[in-house]
């Protein structure tokens, strides 16, 4: 029995690239955070320290900045795909690449030509994975957002649950429901108006969040994912992760005050955490992908 | 020579109060973070542990939540003033109170009645200080914001500076200028539409940031403060603190690429930090206040 | 083609449980952060909002605190296993549970009986996963740490790497190497002195980090993992994730000063990120587990 | 009535300087975060954008790194004083400087020569302020630490406090007391073994925290400050800021379990916040300094 190298990857994380387009008087801005990871047979680097097959992480960084000029930054999916394909197609020892891009949104203020204020809401992001050289090359594009903080002040219930000896929670038919939503969805194509789909998926999820009379956060998440899948054939699968940010009705009775869901304490920890996948029932490529844990999009955050 | 107690205060920090108004079908929301500090002669608590004069921090917390119902939460300045005056006027041993309130802004989404998404931009805040009981009671209201992130892609220069033997910086007539602005301004009245003034001051500062052809961040800050003071007699003084979030032009020349202020690296640390006060030349009450460092608004963040 | 529910889980995250043992005058302390997730057929909760099979996250929280008294908190692996087995064995609709526990270490100060100062170094943690009821029940225990920050001021090189047209990095035979190490290792048994093994694995990894004349961070990580596997048969596999915290030699030549690896700028972003698995060559149970992405330890951080 | 410039300063914040001493095989390390601010008549920079009197923040940065080589980094107080005096004495337009230095502590591991692990406990820091050129030059050195997290599991009480209609808290004669201590103390000399005094002050404060049978956190803080002042004539004044990190006894009675101060929930927010100054009764220079809020050490964190 010996000891061997298993799955591995390496790259340059969190390159903070800002791209200004100044061809016209009305400038445009793209503000991204891009992280690269390369895969291949890097046994020598691990076992003997031989770097002959290793493209330095510094070179990966240079490439991210150079591509911001050479290719430009349009949709983050396209920028990520350009980078990932370059590493796999052009660098001989590299057989797979994972490129993650976060984008920070800005809105123009006052002088419309060249001044912005950061929007500060959700962060749009994508993970592009390219595996294999030549004809058999496979591509995954998984996009989504984080930090979309939502709250509804009614239209949420929780009752009829399983009880055991540790159950002290009281059922409710009207509560505040709030979350900071993390959404990921996997595309089944690389030829798409990614920005347009992003805006529509976000819109649909917000609409479902607002409209569903919720019997559980699980139910709300499922309806949000379903709305996205029904409207967008180009999406194969949706994953949602939603903390239940508890807003506890504050006990004002010692002071002779009523509190009819008016005054709450927003608590930090602990919080509920509800996570669900919503997918198509003919989705078997996903199952196949999962057999390869180094590539399947379940493993998008490959390490933590 | 003996050892004695000097300036001191105590309270409950970061009460996360959320207030929903549900009198009509169209709910309203106020989401605040409130911190209280009480001042007075608390020598006994420090020297012998005698708590007879100490209103517990837990009671201060209860009061914050109770007032959200009893008084409601309108402008954070009014909510803070109600709390501060209550502690000083109604609690015998308390002779001064400092109440800080942060407010998180939400915007309605889709269903306009009871669903919101957190805006995520700047945090509005105020510090209300009440000192003394009865006729001589003094009040300070200092308001402002933090986390307003700005960027302009041209219209900023930096040249003609003092040089010494450690100076290697090259002058520039066109650079990116970006900051995450912290603003404080002191009101000279307690009777005001605080929310309306807030919106207008923010608007004026953004306008000045965009419009000034900047020879230095100092100059831009001064013009932002001046715009606020000129338009609002009810403001006595403005303090601005602005990190210079460096956007370095990335060197693409090794790759044969031009970079005409198009591709930048947004750096984290170190950063410039420019801080200035803009005030009225007849402002002598401020000087007088400063003689009492426990109360002067310079000491708003009394400890760190 | 329809839309269906895929893999899902739910629970209560970040319960901050502190346990004091005060049977003798010399108290003991355990300070943990525990997160639970339950798995099973929760389709009804998602599709119709029916909660009959859902054990509330509040109940999971109560159980974490109750078990701190009923079972006590010894090794976090044992505490996590008790909780996970309870949920799967005692709650009918639950067929799988994932329990993550972080532990914060304290050291006694001065008065040895009941006063501590928080150590503040690495955070020990474990993820315990139990799948299936009765005879076929499987258990995974994956333990490790995060936030172990290391630095060596010599004994690290980097040269001989693959170059392309974006490569500008200069080779070096002497550099600072620093990381904030994240380590995970999977046990192949549940019957163990987990604390004793933890201490020894940490010691071995530190020793390898210090001793290896490093030709690449990859090589150092491999040797750290190998040292753990060689000494501990009860460990099946090691995963290491190591940011390369760049310490750039500062250019002092404009000031006529030599800098022979003496003055560095410690940069924040971007950073290299090296991730590797070190395993046994007869390790096929891992491969089998990977076919079930909901359970395999690759998916320990199932969502992000 | 016109608008004028008030107190202002500018500088380079958070220079992350790491200094390795490698004269012998046994290397030494200093790891600091240094922030500079310069004061003087910078009206022109603000009013007209004229930079002739402005030493760029980039030059300040270069100086921090150059001094790490030229002067070395011994005690952070000495390093800060060298920098502050240089800016005031050598740069004509500069009449005052404030230099803040944080230091991160490392301990050697295994190989004693050149490998370290970051300690991760409290951060030692200092603020050095130099005001005025030539004979009348004044110097303040204020040192201390942050992030020293303490807990005692008994020996803390809280009862006999002032009650009003919002008081619901129950008195206790035995509770957990925990804090994350921020300490500042002002030296009355610049000629000192700063590191030796630091270690002893920290030791004395920990001892007092452990030994005092506490009737209130106020009492404990006062005793901690008194211990430092009594032992060290070179300290003029102590300021302590201590969050009361609440550890709530968890209610296990619904499950038929006793909880005799054994199981706690460590809560995040809100938290008590106790702040106190302990000083000498002949300390009138402090009062005099306070009349000048731009310089007094009360305003060490001049802006927030």
């Amino acid at each position: 029995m010996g000891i061997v190298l298993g799955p591995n990857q390496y790259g340059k994380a969190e390159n903070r690239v800002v791209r200004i387009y100044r061809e016209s008087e009305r400038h445009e801005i793209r503000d991204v955070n891009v992280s690269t990871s390369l895969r291949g047979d890097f046994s020598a680097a691990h076992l003997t320290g031989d770097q002959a097959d290793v493209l330095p992480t510094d070179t990966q960084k240079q490439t991210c900045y150079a591509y911001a000029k050479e290719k430009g930054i349009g949709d983050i999916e396209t920028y990520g795909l350009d980078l990932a394909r370059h590493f796999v197609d052009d660098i001989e020892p590299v057989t797979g690449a994972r490129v993650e891009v976060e984008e920070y949104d800005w809105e123009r203020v006052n002088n419309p030509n060249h001044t912005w204020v950061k929007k500060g809401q959700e962060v749009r992001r994508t993970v592009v994975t390219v595996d294999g050289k030549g004809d058999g090359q496979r591509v995954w594009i998984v996009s989504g957002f984080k930090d979309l903080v939502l709250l509804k002040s009614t239209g949420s219930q929780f009752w009829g649950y399983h009880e055991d000896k540790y159950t002290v929670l009281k059922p409710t038919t009207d509560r505040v429901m709030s979350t900071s939503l993390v959404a990921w969805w996997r595309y089944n194509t690389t030829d798409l108006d990614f920005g347009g789909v992003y805006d529509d998926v976000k819109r649909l999820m917000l609409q479902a969040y607002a409209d569903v009379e919720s019997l559980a956060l699980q139910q709300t998440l499922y309806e949000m994912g379903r709305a996205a899948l029904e409207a967008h054939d180009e999406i194969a699968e949706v994953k949602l992760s939603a903390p239940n940010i508890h807003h506890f009705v504050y006990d004002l009775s010692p002071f002779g005050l009523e509190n009819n869901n008016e005054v709450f304490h927003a608590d930090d920890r602990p919080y509920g955490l509800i996570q669900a996948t919503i997918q198509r029932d003919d989705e078997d490529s996903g199952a196949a992908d999962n057999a390869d844990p180094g590539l399947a999009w379940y493993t998008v955050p490959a390490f933590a």
Side-chain angles (χ1 to χ4, degrees), chain A:
Chain A
M1 184 206 77
I3 288 165
V4 296
L5 180 67
N8 62 89
Q9 61 181 4
Y10 77 101
K12 190 69 98 187
E14 303 205 33
N15 297 283
R16 288 284 293 104
V17 182
V18 177
R19 174 67 158 100
I20 303 290
Y21 290 88
R22 39 195 297 151
E23 282 71 21
S24 81
E25 284 224 338
R26 185 179 167 85
H27 292 187
E28 300 286 340
I29 185 172
R30 293 287 179 191
D31 183 1
V32 302
N33 190 20
V34 55
S35 300
T36 61
S37 293
L38 304 187
R39 297 163 182 170
D41 179 1
F42 301 115
S43 301
H46 290 83
L47 303 185
T48 69
D50 179 348
Q51 302 300 308
D53 285 342
V54 170
L55 187 76
T57 66
D58 186 79
T59 301
Q60 298 174 46
K61 174 181 76 172
Q62 305 294 346
T63 311
C64 293
Y65 287 90
Y67 266 47
K69 171 71 178 180
E70 287 189 89
K71 307 277 183 173
I73 303 181
D75 276 324
I76 53 176
E77 287 83 357
T78 308
Y79 174 63
L81 189 55
D82 282 342
L83 283 165
R85 279 184 168 148
H86 160 68
F87 291 126
V88 175
D89 294 346
D90 300 342
I91 310 300
E92 196 279 328
V94 175
T95 62
R98 178 191 186 278
V99 178
E100 179 166 352
V101 190
E102 292 187 338
E103 182 172 14
Y104 310 113
D105 205 8
W106 295 81
E107 62 185 1
R108 290 176 193 276
V109 283
N110 304 324
N111 180 324
N113 281 340
H114 49 65
T115 306
W116 295 268
V117 60
K118 206 168 205 170
K119 289 197 76 170
Q121 279 181 329
E122 93 277 5
V123 174
R124 176 179 166 187
R125 55 183 180 174
T126 193
V127 174
V128 176
T129 307
V130 169
D131 182 62
K133 289 172 182 287
D135 285 352
Q137 188 174 74
R138 294 190 294 174
V139 173
W140 288 258
I141 299 182
V142 181
S143 295
F145 54 77
K146 63 176 179 180
D147 298 337
L148 189 74
V149 183
L150 302 171
L151 182 147
K152 55 193 297 186
S153 53
T154 190
S156 170
Q157 312 183 23
F158 192 60
W159 50 267
Y161 38 77
H162 187 96
E163 299 195 29
D164 72 356
K165 71 171 178 167
Y166 296 111
T167 301
V168 296
L169 185 74
K170 300 290 177 241
T172 177
T173 57
D174 190 4
R175 62 172 183 173
V176 160
M177 186 167 76
S178 180
T179 191
S180 176
L181 187 63
V182 175
W184 286 113
W185 54 88
R186 178 163 60 91
Y187 288 113
N188 53 28
T189 175
T190 59
D191 182 20
L192 204 61
D193 168 17
F194 292 104
V197 173
Y198 177 87
D199 290 341
D200 197 55
V201 168
K202 180 183 157 191
R203 182 187 64 79
L204 288 164
M205 287 188 177
L206 288 176
Q207 191 69 46
Y209 183 84
D211 288 351
V212 172
E213 171 69 32
S214 178
L215 295 173
L217 187 45
Q218 279 94 330
Q219 185 195 20
T220 295
L221 294 181
Y222 183 79
E223 293 302 323
M224 294 167 82
R226 187 167 77 167
L229 285 171
E230 285 182 344
H232 291 281
D233 288 345
E234 63 276 18
I235 296 179
E237 203 172 4
V238 174
K239 277 189 183 292
L240 300 173
S241 181
N244 190 344
I245 303 176
H246 301 306
H247 283 65
F248 294 115
V249 177
Y250 205 83
D251 180 11
L252 300 177
S253 62
F255 322 127
L257 298 170
E258 269 194 314
N259 187 1
N260 176 31
N261 278 359
E262 292 166 295
V263 176
F264 298 86
H265 169 63
D267 208 37
D268 295 302
R269 293 191 296 181
Y271 50 90
L273 184 57
I274 315 297
Q275 301 170 305
T277 310
I278 304 97
Q279 58 195 35
R280 301 186 190 281
D281 62 4
D282 62 349
E283 181 55 44
D284 49 22
S285 66
D289 296 346
N290 295 340
D292 183 351
L295 297 172
W297 79 277
Y298 285 103
T299 60
V300 160
F303 294 75

